[in-house]
Amino acid sequence: MALDLTLVPLYRINGQEITSLPGLIVQAPPQSAVRVRAQDRLVVYLLLTGNAVFSVSEYMQTAQNAADVFYKTAGSLTNALRAATENVNKNLLERNMSTSGRGQYTSGWLTLAALRDSQCTFSMSGPMHVFWFGQNETRHIHEPGTSGRGLGTSQKTYVYYSQISLMAGDRMLFLGRAPGAWESTLNDPRPSSLEAMRRRLSTLTREDLNAVLIQSSEGTGVLNLLKGTAEIPEQKKEAQTTPPSLITNASAQVVPLSARKDQPDSAAELPAHVLHPSAYAIPPQRDESIPQEPTQAAPLASLPRNTAPRDFPGSIPRVQHSTTDAPLEPTSLEIDGKIEGKEISIPEKVERPAPAREASIRTRRTAKAIATGIQSTRRLIGTLGEKFMKFLPRLLPNSEVVETPLPSSSLMIFMAILIPFMVVTIASAVYLRYGRSEQYDTYLRQAQQIRNQAGSLSDPVEQRIAWENVLLNVEIAESHRETSDTISLRQEAENNLDKLLGITHMQFNPAFSSNLGIDISRMSASQTDLYLLDAANGEALRAFPAAGGRGFQLDTTFNCKPGVYGNYTVGPFVDILALPGLNSINATLLGIDADGNLLYCAPGLVAQPIPLPPPDTNWGRVTAFTLDSGNLYVLDSPARAVWVYNGKDGTFVDRPYFFFGQQTPTQDVIDFIVSGDELYMLHADGHLSNCSYSRIGSSSSQCVDPLVMINPFKAYQDIDLFGTAHFTQLLFAAPPDQSILLLDADTQRIFRFSQRSLELQNQFRPTTGTTNPIPSGTVGAVTVSPNHVLYLAVDGQVYFTTEMP
């Protein structure tokens, strides 16, 4: 960690400067963080909008939960950022569901910034803004079409990723909405110091503010969180310095109502959310009866291509196993508008549900009849009870008049339970019949209007954004009621998006009747058999088609695992390959350990070990191997080498030769493929490189690093599709198609490229909705069989499809 960060909140409500900003948390890796998060520093900036009331402690707890989930999540950096965002979305959605009956709702706008060394990766949900002021350029990061409308309004979480390389002296500004007076400053931030820029932004306007100003400086990774109204010290030692575990606004300060001199006396009696709106208060949605011009999101600057090197995929054992902590359970919160006599106002959301239309005459008559019925029922029950109590004494043998006793306690309890139950039941029926129907009609109508607009657009980017908005409105409508109209509209939107983005959806099926309970890091397939590599113990498993053609079943007699075989000791496998049918050893599978020992395996036969002759420089650590034209290629990443063994009937007994000439790859290669004299390598940060072997002389072998991947789909013009992907495996498609396939493990996508030009041809994705059996999660391994069957390993289960072209 070579850079220090200094953060200054800009927080003003109703003219009052408040030093602590709720929802802002800065955290260094805690001791409980998983290993891959040990170098990541995190900034959480949460802005809540809507009309519900949050206490300061609840506000901070929601942000803190996101930070906790981030440091508990293993895998790629984007995977951890998404997990933290989904936690906030889940908490807010549960809260909104519980308060929808009272007309209260909350939407969360969230920016997460993870800093590792000088690389800063952002995830943005909701229409948030990030301004980066570099030494020679300024960048405005804002993508509402991808980041969505906010968290807590839908089960689907929309996240937009971006990345920058920070240098000492760079500044960043996080905010949800910029005052108009800031435009000149944001376009030309000339103040020479952080304090000067803070004062300039604060004094340019008297509007309410909610923003965070950040500056990086040379140091040792210290995080400084300053008070919003305090003067920024010149010396770094005078700043409020973070402890190594956590910096947080432990008690965000809120000005009491009585202290606001500019408020009328009656304001003190209003709830917090009724006070004068702040800079982030969004006006109510206009009446739908008034025709409105459609707004079009302008495509914004694309992501930077320079992505931070990703960690070696945790599911691949050939580098090092990673431990995954149990996921952190989200905290369920309750609405409480006060804390220690203080209140906090949550501004309204940008786009809240349209106000319900005025009830029709029929609806009002129905509601009036129901209310009259409830009152009549209460009077009838009271009258019957009174007469029943008078009638009971006449049944007694004594003819004397008996004083009417009071109703028994059991009867009173019964009545006390029955009447509220009837009232709640009838009220719920009315809401489900009329209230939910109104919301459904509103969002369905909005989706249909956007669909009509999308058909008239010519810009592919605008078309993509329009169809994404159609899907968003359909999803909200289906949360109230799913009908044939929503299903048809969803299918139409998805089909149009697939054409714009080059996506091919395929139907997958589970390979096994139950979860195998293992971590699968590699797979290889023949025409009929499927082989799996267990990352935990380095053992290879065999599966064959089950009876009846439904899926696969494991071969419990297949023995291909580490151990002592005669005079040779074979360690845990780092890679496996399905062998061609004809070879001198009659083996069907070949495994290799980190020391270059081969193990030939076949069903019903004892495994045979044959060590590879070591290269002249000896082994560093074998990380992968592959076959091409009968020759064996072995990747030794730590030694920056690929060694080639000439094959003889499936055996490799001659000493190898070095593939590269004067140019050698870096040590971060995680996978590779070979076709003739062309070798393609996948690096840990997701980029590709290529080296060509020269048979004239090794010194003339040439390498290209990085290879440029071409995206011909114009709908991605405002998105860096490859920069946001997490590529973990590289392979060829099944012959005769020699396309290159790249696995994006986080999103379960497979990118298909032309081998010659490396131009994107299409993407393979599982089907969406209830027909998709694959759960959300990271793909551990992928393979394609010679007969074009595609296999994906996710969470201990294998899924396959025969729709591979």
Side-chain angles (χ1 to χ4, degrees):
M1 298 183 182
L3 294 177
D4 291 351
L5 289 185
T6 301
L7 296 91
V8 183
L10 302 172
Y11 190 32
R12 180 191 299 153
I13 295 181
N14 297 310
Q16 298 290 330
E17 302 288 346
I18 303 175
T19 58
S20 297
L21 177 60
L24 175 61
I25 287 181
V26 186
Q27 186 163 345
Q31 294 182 353
S32 59
V34 296
R35 180 169 53 84
V36 295
R37 302 275 81 81
Q39 300 298 322
D40 297 330
R41 292 172 289 169
L42 181 67
V43 177
V44 180
Y45 175 46
L46 175 64
L47 174 62
L48 298 180
T49 68
N51 61 4
V53 179
F54 264 71
S55 68
V56 178
S57 60
E58 288 174 332
Y59 208 141
M60 297 303 299
Q61 186 61 52
T62 304
Q64 183 60 56
N65 288 343
D68 293 342
V69 171
F70 174 83
Y71 284 109
K72 293 289 185 180
T73 303
S76 68
L77 184 58
T78 55
N79 188 42
L81 292 172
R82 174 171 287 276
T85 304
E86 289 176 344
N87 177 265
V88 175
N89 186 65
K90 179 180 178 182
N91 288 341
L92 294 181
L93 183 62
E94 291 176 351
R95 186 180 185 120
N96 286 337
M97 294 294 290
S98 65
T99 61
S100 59
R102 301 195 296 271
Q104 296 181 350
Y105 66 93
T106 303
S107 177
W109 301 1
L110 179 66
T111 295
L112 300 177
L115 182 65
R116 177 181 299 177
D117 296 329
S118 61
Q119 294 292 330
C120 188
T121 303
F122 303 101
S123 71
M124 304 164 65
S125 295
M128 294 292 256
H129 298 257
V130 171
F131 288 87
W132 170 56
F133 309 108
Q135 302 297 321
N136 300 313
E137 63 174 318
T138 299
R139 182 176 299 160
H140 178 201
I141 303 173
H142 176 62
E143 184 51 65
T146 304
S147 60
R149 302 182 178 182
L151 304 175
T153 60
S154 170
Q155 292 183 351
K156 185 175 181 180
T157 305
Y158 292 87
V159 183
Y160 177 73
Y161 299 103
S162 183
Q163 193 174 63
I164 61 174
S165 295
L166 281 179
M167 298 179 62
D170 288 359
R171 294 179 195 145
M172 296 181 291
L173 181 66
F174 298 171
L175 70 160
R177 193 176 183 185
W182 281 10
E183 182 176 357
S184 60
T185 299
L186 297 180
N187 293 331
D188 184 19
R190 283 177 289 180
S192 58
S193 67
L194 182 63
E195 168 64 12
M197 187 171 185
R198 181 192 70 82
R199 290 190 177 184
R200 182 176 180 181
L201 292 176
S202 299
T203 56
L204 278 175
T205 179
R206 297 311 302 168
E207 297 181 29
D208 290 355
L209 302 177
N210 191 315
V212 183
L213 184 60
I214 305 173
Q215 177 166 298
S216 60
S217 58
E218 294 183 358
T220 58
V222 175
L223 304 174
N224 306 304
L225 180 57
L226 307 182
K227 295 295 184 180
T229 57
E231 183 175 353
I232 300 176
E234 295 297 332
Q235 298 298 329
K236 182 168 56 180
K237 64 181 181 180
E238 300 176 10
Q240 179 184 352
T241 304
T242 62
S245 59
L246 170 67
I247 302 178
T248 176
N249 293 324
S251 58
Q253 300 180 11
V254 181
V255 178
L257 297 179
S258 59
R260 299 173 182 168
K261 302 301 183 181
D262 57 336
Q263 296 292 335
D265 296 338
S266 60
E269 300 176 359
L270 299 176
H273 61 272
V274 183
L275 294 176
H276 298 292
S278 70
Y280 298 92
I282 308 304
Q285 192 169 348
R286 292 172 290 181
D287 192 344
E288 294 177 355
S289 62
I290 303 175
Q292 303 174 24
E293 292 296 328
T295 58
Q296 301 183 7
L300 304 172
S302 59
L303 297 173
R305 180 61 187 90
N306 296 329
T307 58
R310 298 182 177 89
D311 295 319
F312 197 88
S315 61
I316 301 179
R318 57 185 184 274
V319 172
Q320 190 171 3
H321 300 292
S322 63
T323 59
T324 304
D325 294 1
L328 186 65
E329 293 295 333
T331 304
S332 178
L333 304 177
E334 299 178 356
I335 292 182
D336 181 12
K338 299 182 179 181
I339 175 171
E340 298 180 358
K342 300 179 181 180
E343 296 180 343
I344 182 168
S345 172
I346 298 181
E348 296 183 355
K349 183 178 177 289
V350 173
E351 296 179 5
R352 65 182 187 184
R357 295 173 298 179
E358 184 178 356
S360 63
I361 297 177
R362 181 180 178 183
T363 302
R364 292 197 296 268
R365 289 177 178 175
T366 303
K368 182 177 180 181
I370 292 173
T372 304
I374 294 174
Q375 294 176 357
S376 301
T377 302
R378 290 179 175 175
R379 288 196 298 268
L380 177 61
I381 293 174
T383 302
L384 291 177
E386 181 180 353
K387 292 183 178 181
F388 181 72
M389 298 308 298
K390 291 180 179 180
F391 175 72
L392 281 179
R394 300 180 181 180
L395 298 179
L396 299 176
N398 188 358
S399 60
E400 296 180 0
V401 178
V402 180
E403 184 179 357
T404 302
L406 295 174
S408 64
S409 59
S410 59
L411 178 61
M412 295 178 66
I413 293 174
F414 172 75
M415 300 299 294
I417 295 175
L418 176 62
I419 293 175
F421 175 76
M422 293 178 60
V423 173
V424 171
T425 302
I426 296 174
S428 300
V430 172
Y431 170 73
L432 293 176
R433 174 64 181 88
Y434 298 102
R436 293 177 65 89
S437 179
E438 290 288 338
Q439 295 295 322
Y440 164 81
D441 292 339
T442 298
Y443 285 105
L444 178 60
R445 184 165 54 253
Q446 290 179 1
Q448 292 170 341
Q449 292 174 352
I450 300 174
R451 185 265 309 272
N452 296 334
Q453 296 171 6
S456 62
L457 298 174
S458 58
D459 187 343
V461 175
E462 295 177 349
Q463 291 178 0
R464 188 205 80 220
I465 295 174
W467 287 114
E468 287 175 345
N469 287 331
V470 171
L471 280 180
L472 179 61
N473 282 276
V474 168
E475 182 176 343
I476 299 176
E478 287 184 336
S479 67
H480 298 285
R481 190 171 72 223
E482 183 176 341
T483 64
S484 58
D485 291 335
T486 61
I487 294 175
S488 174
L489 195 54
R490 174 185 289 275
Q491 291 176 347
E492 181 183 358
E494 290 177 344
N495 291 337
N496 280 281
L497 281 174
D498 289 348
K499 293 178 182 178
L500 288 170
L501 304 178
I503 297 173
T504 301
H505 288 283
M506 298 185 294
Q507 179 61 52
F508 283 81
N509 297 291
F512 301 98
S513 58
S514 60
N515 193 292
L516 300 179
I518 61 175
D519 184 8
I520 302 171
S521 61
R522 279 291 191 183
M523 294 191 296
S524 188
S526 64
Q527 290 277 0
T528 57
D529 295 347
L530 174 65
Y531 298 95
L532 317 173
L533 177 57
D534 187 347
N537 55 24
E539 177 183 0
L541 307 176
R542 173 180 176 262
F544 58 92
R550 291 182 172 271
F552 290 79
Q553 67 182 67
L554 287 178
D555 182 359
T556 57
T557 64
F558 186 71
N559 186 9
C560 189
K561 59 184 179 181
V564 178
Y565 297 87
N567 297 327
Y568 302 105
T569 299
V570 179
F573 295 152
V574 296
D575 206 354
I576 56 175
L577 285 174
L579 292 174
L582 298 177
N583 57 78
S584 61
I585 305 181
N586 295 323
T588 60
L589 182 72
L590 182 62
I592 189 170
D593 66 8
D595 297 324
N597 296 309
L598 299 178
L599 189 65
Y600 293 81
C601 305
L605 300 178
V606 177
Q608 299 184 44
I610 301 179
L612 287 173
D616 296 335
T617 58
N618 215 333
W619 296 112
R621 188 179 190 277
V622 174
T623 54
F625 73 149
T626 189
L627 279 170
D628 182 69
S629 302
N631 296 332
L632 186 68
Y633 296 78
V634 182
L635 172 64
D636 187 345
S637 289
R640 303 169 62 181
V642 170
W643 299 100
V644 186
Y645 291 84
N646 292 321
K648 296 180 180 179
D649 297 329
T651 62
F652 312 94
V653 296
D654 296 335
R655 298 188 70 83
Y657 63 87
F658 192 59
F659 183 89
F660 304 107
Q662 296 180 350
Q663 292 179 281
T664 57
T666 57
Q667 293 180 322
D668 64 344
V669 177
I670 60 175
D671 205 0
F672 78 121
I673 53 177
V674 178
S675 176
D677 293 331
E678 299 295 325
L679 184 146
Y680 299 88
M681 291 169 286
L682 172 63
H683 298 256
D685 65 352
H687 83 271
L688 292 178
S689 61
N690 164 253
C691 290
S692 302
Y693 180 75
S694 174
R695 299 186 180 276
I696 300 176
S698 60
S699 60
S700 59
S701 297
Q702 298 293 325
C703 295
V704 178
D705 187 7
L707 281 178
V708 177
M709 295 181 283
I710 302 173
N711 184 358
F713 297 96
K714 297 181 179 179
Y716 285 113
Q717 286 180 354
D718 61 333
I719 298 176
D720 186 356
L721 178 64
F722 307 136
T724 57
H726 179 204
F727 296 131
T728 59
Q729 194 170 338
L730 174 68
L731 66 161
F732 280 122
D737 180 14
Q738 279 294 290
S739 299
I740 294 177
L741 304 180
L742 275 172
L743 169 65
D744 181 1
D746 289 349
T747 60
Q748 301 180 353
R749 295 180 295 179
I750 297 175
F751 292 74
R752 181 167 172 248
F753 294 88
S754 168
Q755 181 181 347
R756 290 186 176 181
S757 61
L758 217 62
E759 180 178 273
L760 179 65
Q761 296 176 332
N762 59 342
Q763 303 174 49
F764 299 125
R765 296 188 185 183
T767 55
T768 58
T770 57
T771 60
N772 179 25
I774 306 179
S776 60
T778 302
V779 178
V782 62
T783 193
V784 180
S785 69
N787 52 343
H788 297 262
V789 179
L790 176 64
Y791 299 89
L792 295 178
V794 181
D795 193 24
Q797 175 65 284
V798 178
Y799 303 88
F800 70 96
T801 179
T802 58
E803 299 175 4
M804 186 77 175

